[in-house]
């Protein structure tokens, strides 16, 4: 048994549930909308304050509280400075718990790329990852960071294009594995649809090349491992085809016959509840959870970024939540960026962050 | 001026509105669900009976009326045999007007590919196309035909993979043009979204190759010509990118920079209201018509089949209607096939045919 109490032959990581612990929200880039949307989400849903805290900078969070107070014409939300996740339980009602990560951050102008903000945002995620791996927090919700600021931050943060790679690296180190042995996938979800992507930020041509039996099967394995404990049973996984009508028997492309079909067969051989390849234009509709209608599938495996994201975002970009599968921790995030163009104006929409927080709670078996 | 009273330099065809005339519904393959869904749609919406008629076989339609009477436990709908579209106005209430096309069709078993049904279905579409081009009918709604039956039908119908090619050929002949000079595009629409596809039934790899400045610009021209008279103003066309985030400045693919962007520029040069290339995962959401929210665009130009069809079908496959743009006539169709597996069982769903009929009326400025 390793530090996570998992059998050593378990290749793909489960998310662990630790429902008694608080959820940590990492502040994100201090010059972006992260601090503001955290305060707004908490102001709109004060009941959530008892179960979560911010890993960030007390000064930056105070500035956000002042900004939201002015823009919403409400009283400024008080901040309770905590020194460990355990103290969240003792924070008074209607106060926002903030844990100062490292040294207090200097004052930074809104909407500008800065080395200091990039490094600080990286530090917060680093701290949260380790806290989650130790089991001190139930889940991580990450407010947006800025890629250019991370790049400007210098080592070690300039090597990470985003949250996922940083979390993956911390998890691999904790598990004593190489990073490539902790493969992850992005799941996008809202209240009615879950989709896991075989590839993400590459051109469509490269995405087609990335569809291999190994990658599709790995996606099935990660999805199965991540969703089984959450659903309390094996997930019914639907695999989308790549081509129109899933290739119509080879007439419109052969990837379904040569690659996707064999990967599904291999998955069945491993005992997964998996079906497909299904016509991409109707599989998402069939997986959609609607009132009074049983959905056919629990999750759709999408062959490329937009195949999965178009249906999730169609219902409203503010409802989409990003969940990283394959890590031994729960991590969700809003599906938008730092919005430097409106940072500091009080106009940022906190809906997606709130959905991410709600999803993190749900994944932990908490309130929906 | 040519026979259609259009200026000879008008390269892309408008749909003509002739709101006083009836709409013709072509029966489709007699062995499929076409006759049944026509009767069911009319039974559910008897007010529509006064404005439309079936071009088909009286015997096959009687059989469908009997089938629906049994399965719905309602009185069998009477058929009024008409000999010209003008007689629709004199059909008694609650009767289904049917115009016999050619010789009566022999009795055919349900759910089987047959040369006779294929040829007859082709004849009905041929008749309807000519009636629409003459201006005798306001629009054509096509019930599904079967590709294999059309192929078995022999000349001239075996050369047409589907309705669109047959209609295109009739229109070209009527206009005195070559078929390639009457380019068409498929528009998919429901009550909240319209999308026009640059390519349809080819592999995703081939669809990427089909994205050329010429094809994208032609799609803009056809869409602009078709929607301007329908909306009463120039449509606001949004062009989707091909790659994630529309390529993110060339980082995830260059088609947006090299092809799609220049086509949009050329379209603006022609006076079109066109914007993009937009991130594919959010452009459909932005074009979605929701109560109380102004949509940003009237139509989205999709780069490939599933990009456009996933969002349209996500709201329910039974709501999606297929509209052929580029023809000098209005043609809509349900977005499903002959469903040979359930033909004759009384279980077919007529919703999409009804939506197609409703859309044909709307396109003619009639009732919504």
């Amino acid at each position: 048994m390793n530090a996570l109490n998992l059998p050593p032959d378990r290749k793909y990581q489960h998310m662990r549930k630790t429902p008694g612990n608080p959820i940590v929200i990492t502040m994100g880039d201090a010059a972006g909308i992260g601090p503001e949307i955290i305060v707004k989400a908490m102001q709109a849903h004060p009941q959530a304050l008892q179960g979560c805290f911010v890993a960030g900078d007390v000064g930056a969070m105070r500035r956000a509280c002042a900004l939201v107070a002015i823009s919403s014409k409400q009283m400024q939300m008080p901040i309770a400075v905590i020194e460990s996740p355990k103290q969240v339980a003792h924070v008074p009602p209607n106060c926002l718990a903030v844990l100062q990560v490292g040294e207090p951050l200097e004052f930074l102008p809104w909407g500008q790329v800065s080395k200091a903000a990039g490094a600080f945002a990286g530090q917060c995620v680093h701290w949260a990852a380790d806290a989650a791996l130790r089991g001190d927090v139930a889940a991580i919700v990450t407010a947006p960071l800025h890629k250019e600021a991370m790049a400007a931050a210098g080592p070690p943060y300039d090597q990470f294009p985003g949250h996922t790679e940083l979390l993956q690296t911390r998890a691999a180190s904790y598990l004593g594995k190489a990073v490539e042995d902790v493969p992850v996938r992005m799941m996008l979800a809202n209240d009615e649809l879950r989709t896991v992507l075989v590839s993400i930020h590459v051109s469509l041509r490269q995405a087609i090349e990335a569809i291999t039996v190994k990658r599709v099967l790995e996606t099935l394995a990660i999805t199965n491992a991540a969703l089984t404990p959450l659903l309390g049973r094996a997930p019914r996984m639907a695999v989308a085809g790549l081509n129109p009508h899933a290739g119509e028997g080879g007439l419109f492309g052969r990837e379904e016959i040569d690659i996707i079909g064999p990967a599904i067969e291999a998955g069945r051989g491993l005992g997964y509840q998996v079906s497909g390849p299904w016509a991409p234009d109707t599989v998402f509709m069939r997986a959609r959870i609607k009132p009074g209608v049983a959905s056919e599938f629990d999750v759709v495996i999408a062959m490329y970024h937009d195949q999965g994201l178009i249906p999730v975002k169609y219902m409203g970009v503010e409802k989409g939540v990003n969940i990283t599968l394959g890590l031994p921790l729960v991590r969700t995030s809003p599906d938008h960026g730092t919005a430097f163009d409106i940072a500091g104006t009080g106009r940022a929409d906190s809906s997606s962050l709130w959905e991410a927080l709600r999803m993190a709670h749900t994944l932990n078996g908490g309130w929906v």
Side-chain angles (χ1 to χ4, degrees), chain A residues 48-322:
Chain A
L49 282 165
Q50 303 311 113
C52 62
F53 68 99
V54 179
D57 177 68
V58 172
M61 290 310 301
R62 279 219 177 93
R63 181 169 71 158
C65 289
L67 171 69
V68 173
I70 293 166
S71 66
S72 69
K73 294 177 180 150
Q74 291 187 38
M75 205 193 75
Q76 188 168 328
M77 180 176 283
I79 281 179
V81 179
I82 60 169
E83 294 188 355
S84 83
K86 281 195 177 59
Q87 294 181 342
V88 172
H90 307 295
V91 164
N94 300 317
C95 293
L96 176 61
V98 179
L99 184 144
Q100 176 73 42
V101 173
E103 293 302 308
L105 188 60
E106 61 192 289
F107 175 86
L108 293 168
W110 297 111
Q112 289 185 24
V113 171
S114 85
K115 177 180 169 162
F120 191 86
Q123 266 183 280
C124 293
V125 177
H126 190 137
W127 183 92
D130 291 353
L133 291 164
R134 277 194 309 269
D136 291 349
V137 300
I140 308 176
V141 178
T142 56
L145 48 74
H146 198 281
K147 274 183 192 145
E148 284 180 51
M150 289 284 277
Y157 300 114
D158 56 356
Q159 67 180 291
F160 304 116
H163 285 104
T164 309
E165 296 79 3
L166 206 169
L167 294 167
Q168 201 177 5
T169 301
R170 295 309 307 152
S173 155
Y174 196 78
L175 295 165
K177 290 184 172 185
V179 172
E180 54 271 27
D181 292 334
V182 188
V184 297
R185 289 292 185 279
M186 185 194 282
M187 178 161 85
L188 269 288
N190 55 29
D191 283 344
E192 57 175 47
L193 186 67
R194 298 183 193 96
T195 182
V196 178
L197 311 178
V198 169
S199 69
I200 48 170
H201 292 143
V202 293
S203 74
L204 189 56
R205 286 177 197 270
Q206 287 176 303
I208 294 175
E209 299 309 327
I211 299 169
T212 61
V213 172
K214 180 176 178 294
R215 257 192 97 77
V216 175
L217 186 57
E218 189 171 82
T219 308
L220 291 173
I222 292 171
T223 306
N224 191 68
L227 293 193
T228 298
L230 300 174
L231 297 171
R233 58 174 169 76
R236 297 164 302 160
M237 299 184 281
V239 181
L242 172 70
N243 297 297
H245 309 181
E248 196 144 326
L251 213 58
F252 313 145
R254 291 196 51 86
E255 286 84 356
E256 287 80 4
I257 296 168
D258 296 337
I259 303 170
I260 306 170
I264 293 169
E265 276 312 306
R268 283 210 197 95
L270 294 169
Y272 304 155
Q273 284 205 35
V274 54
S275 64
W278 298 109
D281 59 351
T282 48
V283 68
F284 296 97
M285 176 200 80
R286 295 167 63 189
R288 188 179 166 200
I289 299 163
K290 283 170 289 189
V293 185
S295 69
E296 289 184 60
F297 315 112
D298 297 308
V299 59
V300 180
I301 310 297
M303 289 298 117
Y304 52 91
H305 182 275
D306 292 329
Q307 192 184 60
L309 263 63
I310 287 173
V312 170
K313 295 203 173 177
Y314 189 64
M315 300 311 288
V317 67
E318 72 284 359
K319 294 288 180 189
V321 176
N322 181 343

